[in-house]
Amino acid sequence: MVPFLEICPKLAFDECRMLIVPPGHQSSGLPPDRYDLEESYCVEPDCDCRRVMLNVTSVSRRHVEAVINFEFDAADPLRGPFLDPLNPQGQHAEALLELVRQQVQADPQYVQRLERHYQVVRDIVAGRLRPEEAAPAPTLLGPTVVGAGRAKYDDPDNNVAENVAPFDIHKQVIDEYGESDEGEVAEYIDGLMGQFADSPEAQPIFDAGRRLGWATTLMNYGFDHLGVAPPSMDLEDFREVAFQIIPRKVSVDADRAEEIVTELRAFWKFLQRCYGLKNAAEILRDLDSNAVERLHDKLDDPANFSMVKSILGLGLQAGFDMTTQDGLTKFMLAYNSGLLGGRRPNPPPAPRRELSMFGDNAIAEEFGNRADRRAAKRAQRREVKKSQRGRR
């Protein structure tokens, strides 16, 4: 059995199914996490087993928790799904098997998609189809959020509305030193993204054939660079992450600015409706009709390109697939051997400099001033706590 991600990378990435167990959901017996269902298929030329193997992978722990066999022929007594006896199983394998039976096997659209992927593999193995020619599904299946039942709540305008199951958006994910706890942050983001994925604000994104992800990027950089969660992210924080840090850190075509702004706008509308966040209104006003153009200019500005981003861009321009390890390896061989005609990415322009957080002549990148100040405060808290421990 070969991973579908190796056979047909783009289709596998775009159409991987996710199961999200939000924090506070106890009935499944599973830890809160996002569980990706990674498909594997037989590539023997003469085989027609009509079977898929699902590796259920915990995203936060980066570990295969269960290996599940599933056959498409309903008449076969061994159709499954069942835990594969030839592979090691994790602590929560039985609970994940039950979850797959409840949430996936009962979903005819998903089963049809697995059958279509199986046929794609057979066509590729037989030479009838090239991986890049595999057509995507006509509709995109959103992630399955376990226990995302509907409940009534009162919104800020005292109107009764529908909301997904409760999520503690004000949950603290900062450790004793003022740093973000990686595990807590992963649970927080996965939990909130699960709620967002099940919201009416996200549905047009799925209808347009897109997956969610930019809200995750926003939160990750908010935690990592500024130490802020959505409830504490003010307008200046948001602008720094969305219009400065993302253009510098993320290698993405400027033409996707509209896609990014659309998702961020939907995300903050969801936060405003469901949680009544006071900062949402101001941030939504900033995501006005000019936001796409502003972000496009930032993404297209070479001054915002880090060295890594410049190298990725050069690889794409030279025709290499920079989304796969094979493409990266081939590009680096060509790059290092001078086969690109001597072209090398220019180093990013020197950033504008200002007085740093220390108030002296030390220098800091302009986009990082607020992040630097907050990092300095966290470092100061760590030193205080260490000294207090030493005195004790």
Side-chain angles (χ1 to χ4, degrees):
M1 304 293 275
V2 177
F4 191 42
L5 192 63
E6 295 180 11
I7 302 170
C8 197
K10 187 178 187 309
L11 199 62
F13 179 81
D14 288 343
E15 299 187 354
C16 172
R17 192 67 184 270
M18 297 174 283
L19 299 175
I20 296 175
V21 178
H25 184 77
Q26 302 298 327
S27 64
S28 66
L30 292 166
D33 207 338
R34 192 186 91 197
Y35 298 90
D36 287 351
L37 304 185
E38 299 173 353
E39 305 161 29
S40 293
Y41 296 94
C42 176
V43 293
E44 292 295 327
D46 299 326
C47 179
D48 190 23
C49 59
R50 293 184 50 76
R51 183 182 300 275
V52 60
M53 184 178 289
L54 299 173
N55 292 318
V56 187
T57 303
S58 159
V59 172
S60 67
R61 293 184 291 278
R62 299 179 182 178
H63 182 261
V64 176
E65 302 287 343
V67 182
I68 297 173
N69 248 310
F70 181 69
E71 186 171 331
F72 304 125
D73 291 330
D76 193 318
L78 298 178
R79 183 190 186 205
F82 58 88
L83 294 177
D84 188 83
L86 301 180
N87 282 279
Q89 304 291 345
Q91 176 185 355
H92 304 289
E94 290 289 349
L96 286 166
L97 174 62
E98 184 59 29
L99 190 60
V100 168
R101 284 175 175 153
Q102 293 174 358
Q103 305 287 347
V104 176
Q105 185 183 12
D107 184 346
Q109 278 188 297
Y110 179 61
V111 175
Q112 289 171 10
R113 177 160 299 184
L114 291 175
E115 292 190 64
R116 187 172 59 83
H117 288 176
Y118 173 83
Q119 189 57 52
V120 165
V121 172
R122 303 317 309 159
D123 289 342
I124 291 174
V125 170
R128 296 187 294 268
L129 181 72
R130 292 188 298 179
E132 62 271 19
E133 295 173 342
T139 59
L140 191 66
L141 300 176
T144 296
V145 183
V146 180
R150 299 284 176 175
K152 297 293 183 179
Y153 81 110
D154 290 326
D155 69 10
D157 298 323
N158 295 319
N159 297 317
V160 175
E162 282 192 335
N163 186 23
V164 290
F167 171 81
D168 184 5
I169 198 169
H170 299 286
K171 176 184 178 182
Q172 292 299 315
V173 294
I174 307 298
D175 64 18
E176 59 181 324
Y177 299 122
E179 297 286 352
S180 300
D181 181 275
E182 185 176 342
E184 294 287 339
V185 166
E187 286 188 11
Y188 183 101
I189 292 177
D190 283 345
L192 189 54
M193 286 301 293
Q195 302 285 352
F196 177 40
D198 196 48
S199 72
E201 287 83 2
Q203 192 56 49
I205 297 172
F206 292 129
D207 291 343
R210 296 172 179 168
R211 297 181 65 177
L212 301 179
W214 293 110
T216 300
T217 302
L218 178 82
M219 287 191 282
N220 271 318
Y221 283 133
F223 280 118
D224 290 347
H225 288 260
L226 302 179
V228 296
S232 55
M233 181 179 284
D234 61 26
L235 179 59
E236 195 170 348
D237 293 331
F238 172 77
R239 286 175 172 172
E240 183 165 353
V241 175
F243 294 97
Q244 296 183 47
I245 295 179
I246 287 178
R248 286 187 64 88
K249 297 286 187 181
V250 182
S251 181
V252 59
D253 193 281
D255 289 339
R256 295 182 66 184
E258 182 178 3
E259 171 189 332
I260 298 171
V261 170
T262 297
E263 181 175 333
L264 295 184
R265 191 181 289 136
F267 180 64
W268 284 98
K269 285 181 179 178
F270 156 73
L271 295 178
Q272 184 182 49
R273 177 179 65 83
C274 288
Y275 299 102
L277 296 188
K278 295 180 180 179
N279 54 345
E282 189 175 29
I283 290 173
L284 283 169
R285 283 196 296 271
D286 197 53
L287 289 168
D288 56 15
S289 57
N290 297 320
V292 172
E293 183 179 353
R294 284 188 285 138
L295 182 57
H296 183 282
D297 291 344
K298 291 288 186 180
L299 292 170
D300 204 36
D301 184 357
N304 286 325
F305 294 179
S306 65
M307 181 60 75
V308 172
K309 186 171 178 177
S310 298
I311 288 175
L312 288 172
L314 180 59
L316 291 171
Q317 291 174 15
F320 292 88
D321 182 0
M322 303 299 280
T323 64
T324 66
Q325 185 59 51
D326 182 60
L328 287 168
T329 301
K330 289 179 179 177
F331 166 72
M332 291 310 299
L333 287 173
Y335 178 83
N336 291 328
S337 61
L339 295 181
L340 298 180
R343 283 186 294 161
R344 293 184 179 261
N346 296 322
R352 293 188 291 273
R353 304 292 187 173
E354 296 181 354
L355 291 181
S356 77
M357 56 200 171
F358 301 108
D360 54 19
N361 290 325
I363 54 180
E365 290 190 22
E366 184 180 18
F367 86 87
N369 280 347
R370 287 164 64 82
D372 286 344
R373 287 196 295 271
R374 296 189 186 196
K377 288 180 181 178
R378 295 197 293 272
Q380 186 179 33
R381 284 197 294 270
R382 284 197 300 272
E383 292 303 318
V384 169
K385 286 185 177 291
K386 287 179 182 177
S387 64
Q388 288 173 345
R389 286 200 184 106
R391 286 196 295 271
R392 289 198 294 265

